[in-house]
Amino acid sequence: MVEKVITLENVSLVEFLGPDNQNIRQLAAAFPGSKVVSRGNEIKIQGQPAVINRINEILSALIEHYHEYGTITDKTVSQYLSSANEEVEEARMAAAPDVILFGAKGGVIKARTANQQRLVDAVMKNDLVFALGPAGTGKTYISVALAVRALKNKEVKKIIISRPVVEAGESLGFLPGDMKEKVDPYLRPIYDALEDMLPPEKFKFYMENKTIEIAPLAYMRGRTLNHAFVLLDEAQNTTPSQLKMFLTRMGPHAKVMVNGDRSQIDLPTKQKSGLNQALDILRDVPGIGFIEMTADDVVRHRLVKEIVLAYDQFDTEQEQERADQANRPVRPAQRRGE
């Protein structure tokens, strides 16, 4: 370990350190492998050289902020910590161009299959992309990671993520709680992905100031989605009118992704899926990307791939059986007495 001592000059210790030294304790908590202690007008830092340099840079920025504005608050410290973390992440991203994002706990988020990489490339090239495929292929997770990266890179000003709440059906009104509590279970996978990718305080801040919106599809009606990364998940459960409504919300400087699994349509029988119709209508429109995921892209438990393949085989056999029955000649009815 290396030690460095910083002397505070022409600074009110009460204003700079905060009540009960809360500003310094907040700084120390951000670097658990190091030690930051204030004694009088001195701040002692112990840790690895690279970490000490980062803490020193943040403290220098805070001192400059104090001399300019005359005060330091816990929010000020949070802002400078966040800024420092983003600079470090930008450097890490530049060193690892195949990485989409570094998660909240430092984990690497990147494409793990060829089709996932094709999805990443398609989003870079197109403003509207359809990602299709079975459960477990990473459609939602990769899409959310791309949205967070676009926000961090200031390519967009906000993230809007939506899902149709089809599963609740008419029973939604009988569920306990307000509307948010009723629909949150259906949006839980989105929250889980975002919590993997953003520190808790950052995620809370983005949600509170509407930088990130997570809402049922019905809430999109009448809006123009501009300067935003917009994701519609579980699109196979939209009706044709719902999906048309969503797609026509797209404003200037927007990135839109539509994800769906055509093998898991939960709409009422005889109700056409808006996703299937959109694919038929838009397939040849230039500027729209279409990525098909397969069982080979499943990144969950190894059995998920086998389950997907088994269901695909079953569906193929059922279609063949129906085709055979349709082509079978109808046996004429026998007359009585014959």
Side-chain angles (χ1 to χ4, degrees), residues 245-256:
M245 176 274 291
F246 173 80
L247 293 174
T248 53
R249 301 305 92 203
M250 188 175 179
H253 311 293
K255 282 275 188 185
V256 177

Side-chain angles (χ1 to χ4, degrees), residues 161-166 172 179 183 187 214-223 232 237-239 241-243 245-246 249:
I161 304 177
S162 185
R163 273 187 168 191
V165 188
V166 169
L172 187 62
M179 181 56 70
V183 302
L187 303 170
I214 306 172
L217 178 59
Y219 286 31
M220 298 297 106
R221 191 173 298 278
R223 301 182 61 181
L232 175 61
N237 289 327
T238 61
T239 64
S241 62
Q242 285 175 330
L243 188 50
M245 176 274 291
F246 173 80
R249 301 305 92 203

Side-chain angles (χ1 to χ4, degrees), residues 134-335:
T137 52
K139 301 185 303 296
T140 299
Y141 200 77
I142 292 292
S143 301
V144 173
L146 289 169
V148 172
R149 182 173 74 173
L151 182 64
K152 287 190 170 187
N153 290 345
K154 297 181 174 55
E155 296 167 11
V156 297
K157 294 180 180 178
K158 66 190 313 181
I159 295 172
I160 301 170
I161 304 177
S162 185
R163 273 187 168 191
V165 188
V166 169
E167 299 88 340
E170 294 181 352
S171 65
L172 187 62
F174 297 98
L175 295 174
D178 59 18
M179 181 56 70
K180 183 177 187 300
E181 292 170 330
K182 292 175 191 289
V183 302
D184 268 2
Y186 302 100
L187 303 170
R188 188 68 246 173
I190 304 298
Y191 287 102
D192 289 344
L194 286 166
E195 287 168 0
D196 271 358
M197 299 170 193
L198 292 167
E201 289 300 319
K202 195 82 167 182
F203 180 45
K204 181 181 178 182
F205 173 75
Y206 282 152
M207 293 293 291
E208 288 176 349
N209 71 2
K210 302 293 185 183
T211 299
I212 296 179
E213 291 185 52
I214 306 172
L217 178 59
Y219 286 31
M220 298 297 106
R221 191 173 298 278
R223 301 182 61 181
T224 299
L225 308 176
N226 189 19
H227 292 286
F229 194 112
V230 190
L231 168 62
L232 175 61
D233 206 33
E234 301 289 349
Q236 75 276 2
N237 289 327
T238 61
T239 64
S241 62
Q242 285 175 330
L243 188 50
K244 180 182 177 182
M245 176 274 291
F246 173 80
L247 293 174
T248 53
R249 301 305 92 203
M250 188 175 179
H253 311 293
K255 282 275 188 185
V256 177
M257 290 191 67
V258 178
N259 294 351
D261 177 0
R262 287 171 291 178
S263 69
Q264 292 190 0
I265 297 174
D266 299 315
L267 292 167
T269 307
K270 297 183 180 180
Q271 174 67 67
K272 184 176 178 65
S273 168
L275 178 61
N276 287 339
Q277 184 192 70
L279 295 175
D280 292 338
I281 295 172
L282 303 176
R283 181 65 74 173
D284 296 324
V285 175
I288 302 178
F290 298 89
I291 302 298
E292 293 271 1
M293 317 288 273
T294 70
D296 290 334
D297 299 300
V298 171
V299 291
R300 292 181 184 169
H301 192 285
R302 62 175 182 80
L303 283 177
V304 175
K305 178 178 178 179
E306 300 303 323
I307 290 168
V308 170
L309 289 172
Y311 270 93
D312 286 347
Q313 179 65 29
F314 175 79
D315 290 341
T316 301
E317 292 172 355
Q318 290 288 298
E319 289 177 8
Q320 184 61 51
E321 186 175 329
R322 285 192 291 269
D324 291 345
Q325 290 176 349
N327 295 328
R328 188 177 300 153
V330 179
R331 183 179 179 183
Q334 288 186 338
R335 297 178 182 178

Side-chain angles (χ1 to χ4, degrees), residues 16-239:
F16 187 84
L17 301 177
D20 195 26
N21 289 353
Q22 69 175 14
N23 294 340
I24 295 303
R25 287 193 287 111
Q26 184 180 355
L27 179 60
F31 299 92
S34 62
K35 189 174 182 180
V36 184
V37 179
S38 63
R39 290 177 181 169
N41 69 335
E42 291 185 344
I43 298 177
K44 183 183 292 185
I45 312 168
Q46 293 179 333
Q48 298 301 319
V51 177
I52 286 181
N53 287 337
R54 286 183 63 197
I55 297 174
N56 184 47
E57 288 172 1
I58 294 170
L59 279 171
S60 297
L62 288 170
I63 291 170
E64 288 183 16
H65 183 100
Y66 173 83
H67 286 307
E68 184 171 355
Y69 298 101
T71 186
I72 297 290
T73 68
D74 57 339
K75 289 186 178 179
T76 309
V77 179
S78 294
Q79 289 170 352
Y80 279 97
L81 283 171
S82 177
S83 176
N85 288 337
E86 286 175 0
E87 289 174 5
V88 170
E89 181 162 331
E90 286 174 5
R92 294 172 74 192
M93 292 287 287
D98 61 327
V99 173
I100 300 173
L101 197 67
F102 289 98
K105 297 180 181 178
V108 172
I109 300 172
K110 63 180 180 179
R112 295 171 60 184
T113 70
N115 279 331
Q116 286 186 359
Q117 186 59 54
R118 288 181 60 229
L119 176 58
V120 173
D121 295 340
V123 173
M124 296 300 103
K125 296 175 184 176
N126 302 281
D127 288 337
L128 173 59
V129 173
F130 286 80
L132 314 166
T137 52
K139 301 185 303 296
T140 299
Y141 200 77
I142 292 292
S143 301
V144 173
L146 289 169
V148 172
R149 182 173 74 173
L151 182 64
K152 287 190 170 187
N153 290 345
K154 297 181 174 55
E155 296 167 11
V156 297
K157 294 180 180 178
K158 66 190 313 181
I159 295 172
I160 301 170
I161 304 177
S162 185
R163 273 187 168 191
V165 188
V166 169
E167 299 88 340
E170 294 181 352
S171 65
L172 187 62
F174 297 98
L175 295 174
D178 59 18
M179 181 56 70
K180 183 177 187 300
E181 292 170 330
K182 292 175 191 289
V183 302
D184 268 2
Y186 302 100
L187 303 170
R188 188 68 246 173
I190 304 298
Y191 287 102
D192 289 344
L194 286 166
E195 287 168 0
D196 271 358
M197 299 170 193
L198 292 167
E201 289 300 319
K202 195 82 167 182
F203 180 45
K204 181 181 178 182
F205 173 75
Y206 282 152
M207 293 293 291
E208 288 176 349
N209 71 2
K210 302 293 185 183
T211 299
I212 296 179
E213 291 185 52
I214 306 172
L217 178 59
Y219 286 31
M220 298 297 106
R221 191 173 298 278
R223 301 182 61 181
T224 299
L225 308 176
N226 189 19
H227 292 286
F229 194 112
V230 190
L231 168 62
L232 175 61
D233 206 33
E234 301 289 349
Q236 75 276 2
N237 289 327
T238 61
T239 64

